[in-house]
Amino acid sequence: MKSGTITAVHRDNKQKQRYHIDLNEEYAFSVHEDILVKYNLFKGTEVDEAFFHEVLVAEEKHRAYLGALRYLGFRPRTKSQLNSYLVEKGFLPSIAEEVCERCQEQGYIDDEAFARQWVDERLRLKPRSPYMLRMELQQRGVERGIVEEAVRAVSREDELIAARALIEKKAKRLEGAPNPDEERKLLSMLMRKGFSHGVIQQIRGELRQRAEE
């Protein structure tokens, strides 16, 4: 720990929002401009060990917060994803959790909105069964209750549309209607992807109707 009087404050030449602080004519630490102003870290300010520790912790939290905002700027994330990212960047778990709570309070992360958007976009762009949607959200750390609420919005018709889209994508490679072996492979694919028995049976009927035409 360091203590003494701030004798100089230097602005960083490259990172204009960072400042280097000298205590007793020697470099001691650097902080973001927001922390500089918040703690009045200007020439003549007295710094004891407790105050020095408080400033360093505040600086670390602020650095984690700015990192979180950059990470969230690319695309929506879950609280779990943000927490893991911050910990991987070397921040203490307690700081990562505090920053996550702050971002949640400010609306930068919202697992319920994330889950709803995930389901909606998957159904429109990359058809999935409710089972696969559930697995994908759980893998991203969304709480089970939120996952179930989002997936509950998927109707049987939504599931049928998704199954048909997958079948059509595969069937384009076939010449004419699928033969029994090709039908079995297509239906097995739907089974592996977690579609319900009722939906698979309906698709089977549609494939066979196509074969009879």
Side-chain angles (χ1 to χ4, degrees):
M1 292 295 181
K2 298 185 178 182
S3 60
T5 303
I6 295 179
T7 51
V9 178
H10 310 281
R11 191 177 192 179
D12 190 276
N13 292 327
K14 295 182 178 180
Q15 302 181 62
K16 300 302 183 181
Q17 290 185 314
R18 293 204 66 77
Y19 290 81
H20 307 293
I21 311 297
D22 289 358
L23 289 179
N24 303 328
E25 308 295 342
E26 293 183 357
Y27 170 76
F29 57 96
S30 62
V31 295
H32 188 275
E33 183 177 42
D34 293 344
I35 302 301
L36 179 88
V37 173
K38 179 179 180 179
Y39 287 92
N40 194 34
L41 299 173
F42 302 109
K43 188 174 181 178
T45 298
E46 294 293 330
V47 177
D48 60 21
E49 290 189 357
F51 183 60
F52 179 74
H53 175 73
E54 182 180 347
V55 168
L56 291 189
V57 171
E59 168 64 19
E60 187 75 350
K61 290 179 180 179
H62 191 69
R63 193 165 66 87
Y65 177 69
L66 294 180
L69 294 185
R70 286 193 295 271
Y71 179 65
L72 296 173
F74 293 108
R75 61 175 182 269
R77 312 278 187 173
T78 66
K79 182 179 179 181
S80 177
Q81 286 176 317
L82 177 58
N83 190 286
S84 295
Y85 171 80
L86 293 174
V87 172
E88 288 171 4
K89 287 297 181 180
F91 294 103
L92 292 173
S94 58
I95 290 179
E97 179 63 26
E98 185 173 329
V99 169
C100 285
E101 292 293 338
R102 180 180 178 184
C103 288
Q104 192 171 34
E105 290 170 1
Q106 295 175 333
Y108 293 127
I109 52 175
D110 183 337
D111 281 7
E112 292 182 0
F114 179 95
R116 289 193 300 269
Q117 182 179 345
W118 184 271
V119 168
D120 179 64
E121 290 185 353
R122 275 301 202 237
L123 290 176
R124 287 190 296 107
L125 306 175
K126 296 181 179 181
R128 296 284 191 276
S129 68
Y131 171 81
M132 290 299 293
L133 291 169
R134 187 178 288 108
M135 292 295 293
E136 289 175 344
L137 288 171
Q138 289 176 349
Q139 287 169 0
R140 284 154 182 80
V142 180
E143 292 181 3
R144 185 178 297 277
I146 296 175
V147 171
E148 294 304 323
E149 183 67 25
V151 174
R152 195 176 297 128
V154 180
S155 67
R156 188 174 189 278
E157 186 59 30
D158 291 330
E159 188 179 359
L160 268 172
I161 291 172
R164 287 171 182 147
L166 286 171
I167 289 293
E168 289 304 317
K169 183 177 180 180
K170 295 290 184 181
K172 283 180 181 178
R173 304 173 187 173
L174 305 177
E175 294 183 4
N179 60 42
D181 186 54
E182 291 167 342
E183 176 192 295
R184 179 183 57 79
K185 290 179 180 179
L186 289 171
L187 297 177
S188 294
M189 180 262 299
L190 292 182
M191 191 176 299
R192 289 195 304 274
K193 291 186 176 294
F195 285 91
S196 66
H197 178 73
V199 164
I200 293 174
Q201 290 302 311
Q202 182 160 338
I203 294 296
R204 173 185 280 122
E206 293 176 2
L207 288 174
R208 291 182 178 177
Q209 184 177 2
R210 181 188 301 183
E212 294 170 358
E213 293 175 353

